[in-house]
Amino acid sequence: MAIKIILIIVLAALLIGSAIWFGALIYSESKSKVSKIVSFIIASLSLALLIILPWSIHEVKTGEVAVVRGYGVVKEYKTPGVYFQDWIKYKYEKYDTKVQQLEIETPAYSSDGQTLDLKVDIQYDIKVDKVTLIATEYGDLAKLESRIQTVSIERIKSVISQKSAMDIIGTRNEISANITKVIGEAIDKNYYINIRSVSLTNVDFTDEFEKIIEDKVAAEQEAQKAINEAAKKQTEAEAAKKVAELEADAALYKAKKEAEAILLKAQAEADALKIEKQAVADSIDVLIQNLGLTTEEAVKLYEYLIWIGAWDGDVPTVVGNDKGYVVTPGN
């Protein structure tokens, strides 16, 4: 602190100067007792002030609070500032008012007997207006932290003992919230602090148990991989089956259409043949009726006309018969 340093320098210089002056008077031939007394008084006063004044100036910095003890008894507390009080009677004990972090490491046991190491971080700050109670009941901040740690460990173990090892692994966030809650409830107003946060930062099982967990996870991953591959194959088989069904449906549809086309063609040919036969029969009837021929003669004449390409559908006016004479319609 600048004021204290300056005061020490000034008083030290005054003390040294007066001491040198007094020494010089002692060894000088001067018989002036007054000068000797004055120099002695100045030196003694400088020494007394050097012992008392600088050390009676107390500075409380920002982020601190000071508990003032008078002959060991807590009297009051001082907020940041500069104060002058006799250092012989009054002692200033500084407490940090900034947020503190308390790291707690403790072993614990799960409900199924697994051993694990836990690490929990607690952030807190002291209640400034209760700092004299902290000093009176706990003595200092270190002892208060020790008590907080003891209570917190008890609550942490209580929460962990209610969960199996697998539950602890699977519900870490939930467990962290439970630990925060129980510690917050345990560190009540009698501890004179404000809890800012509680974090479960590490959960460490034994190497043997972690190996079991790793093997279990690997087995589950392999099982899931097998399930995925089986599902993939099933999907591929279903897709292939669907394609086959579609192809079969397409082939059946094609065959059906081809059969329908063949049937239509056959029907058309049958109809054409029927028409053709009807036309032949009609033509023969025409020849029989118009030429007076017998059926046999009409058939032969029809075939002859078709063969020579002379039949145009009309009844011929003159034709020869097998007797060598001409036949005309009506004869």
Side-chain angles (χ1 to χ4, degrees), residues 98-100 122-125 141 145 193-196:
K98 297 186 292 296
V99 174
Q100 306 295 308
I122 300 176
Q123 290 187 335
Y124 73 93
D125 59 357
L141 193 58
E145 284 192 346
I193 65 171
N194 301 307
I195 293 181
R196 300 301 182 183

Side-chain angles (χ1 to χ4, degrees), residues 271-320:
D271 292 342
L273 181 59
K274 183 178 179 180
I275 293 170
E276 182 180 357
K277 287 181 178 181
Q278 186 62 46
V280 171
D282 292 342
S283 298
I284 292 173
D285 287 340
V286 170
L287 292 174
I288 291 172
Q289 293 173 5
N290 289 279
L291 298 178
L293 301 175
T294 64
T295 300
E296 183 180 353
E297 290 174 338
V299 171
K300 288 182 178 182
L301 178 58
Y302 175 80
E303 292 176 350
Y304 174 73
L305 292 173
I306 293 300
W307 177 72
I308 65 175
W311 178 255
D312 58 2
D314 293 332
V315 179
T317 57
V318 180
V319 296

Side-chain angles (χ1 to χ4, degrees), residues 55-176:
W55 317 111
S56 296
I57 297 175
H58 307 278
E59 181 185 17
V60 181
K61 297 179 180 179
T62 300
E64 294 180 335
V65 63
V67 172
V68 181
R69 291 180 182 268
Y71 295 118
V73 179
V74 174
K75 297 294 185 181
E76 59 183 341
Y77 70 90
K78 298 290 187 181
T79 55
V82 177
Y83 304 93
F84 182 83
Q85 283 185 302
D86 178 11
W87 70 271
I88 297 175
K89 179 179 179 182
Y90 296 101
K91 304 295 182 183
Y92 277 59
E93 297 175 356
K94 306 291 182 62
Y95 287 78
D96 196 337
T97 60
K98 297 186 292 296
V99 174
Q100 306 295 308
Q101 180 161 311
L102 176 61
E103 295 184 354
I104 299 176
E105 295 183 6
T106 180
Y109 296 92
S110 63
S111 61
D112 52 357
Q114 292 295 333
T115 303
L116 58 152
D117 292 323
L118 299 174
K119 184 177 179 181
V120 176
D121 289 345
I122 300 176
Q123 290 187 335
Y124 73 93
D125 59 357
I126 65 173
K127 295 178 180 179
V128 174
D129 59 338
K130 303 296 182 182
V131 69
T132 55
L133 295 175
I134 294 175
T136 301
E137 296 180 22
Y138 296 98
D140 54 39
L141 193 58
K143 292 178 181 178
L144 174 60
E145 284 192 346
S146 177
R147 180 56 186 162
I148 293 172
Q149 181 168 338
T150 300
V151 173
S152 298
I153 288 174
E154 292 175 357
R155 297 303 188 275
I156 292 169
K157 289 183 176 181
S158 175
V159 171
I160 295 300
S161 65
Q162 299 174 18
K163 298 284 187 178
S164 68
M166 296 305 297
D167 286 340
I168 294 171
I169 295 173
T171 60
R172 177 167 172 167
N173 291 337
E174 178 184 341
I175 291 174
S176 181

Side-chain angles (χ1 to χ4, degrees), residues 228-240:
N228 293 339
E229 290 178 352
K232 180 181 178 181
K233 290 180 179 178
Q234 182 178 357
T235 302
E236 291 175 350
E238 291 175 351

Side-chain angles (χ1 to χ4, degrees), residues 21-32 36:
W21 181 28
F22 179 74
L25 291 174
I26 293 296
Y27 291 101
S28 68
E29 295 179 355
S30 173
K31 304 297 183 180
S32 176
K36 293 179 181 179

